[in-house]
Amino acid sequence: GIITTICGNGTTSSSGDGGLAINALTTQPTSMIFSSSLNSLFFVDGSFSVRMINLTSGIISRILDTSSSISGLSFQENSKFL
């Protein structure tokens, strides 16, 4: 199989929103889920936010941000698509 990096450059932080996801910094991304049209990927970032990658343009956006822990926020394991 082929593994392709679509987000992050290997540095742990949280920045780069509005730019290319491949250049963005992320912190321990978890709970990933695709949109039903398969053109977006959503994930919970360890910096207490939910981020979205437009898989067509490669642009990353922060769609939920909080200054405190959002522990327990995750996508259900059996929910494959939004």
Side-chain angles (χ1 to χ4, degrees), residues 42-69:
F42 298 84
F43 65 94
V44 176
D45 190 301
S47 65
F48 314 124
S49 60
V50 175
R51 296 172 84 181
M52 177 189 78
I53 302 171
N54 180 310
L55 297 174
T56 303
S57 67
I59 301 296
I60 189 169
S61 304
R62 188 176 316 267
I63 60 172
L64 173 69
D65 194 14
T66 177
S67 59
S68 60
S69 175

Side-chain angles (χ1 to χ4, degrees), residues 3-81:
I3 298 173
T4 302
T5 301
I6 60 168
C7 182
N9 64 9
T11 302
T12 300
S13 188
S14 185
S15 65
D17 295 302
L20 291 175
I22 194 71
N23 298 326
L25 304 180
T26 61
T27 303
Q28 300 174 337
T30 61
S31 301
M32 297 176 210
I33 189 168
F34 289 95
S35 65
S36 59
S37 60
L38 298 178
N39 66 352
S40 297
L41 171 66
F42 298 84
F43 65 94
V44 176
D45 190 301
S47 65
F48 314 124
S49 60
V50 175
R51 296 172 84 181
M52 177 189 78
I53 302 171
N54 180 310
L55 297 174
T56 303
S57 67
I59 301 296
I60 189 169
S61 304
R62 188 176 316 267
I63 60 172
L64 173 69
D65 194 14
T66 177
S67 59
S68 60
S69 175
I70 52 174
S71 63
L73 175 63
S74 64
F75 302 110
Q76 295 177 2
E77 286 185 38
N78 60 357
S79 297
K80 295 183 177 129
F81 302 104

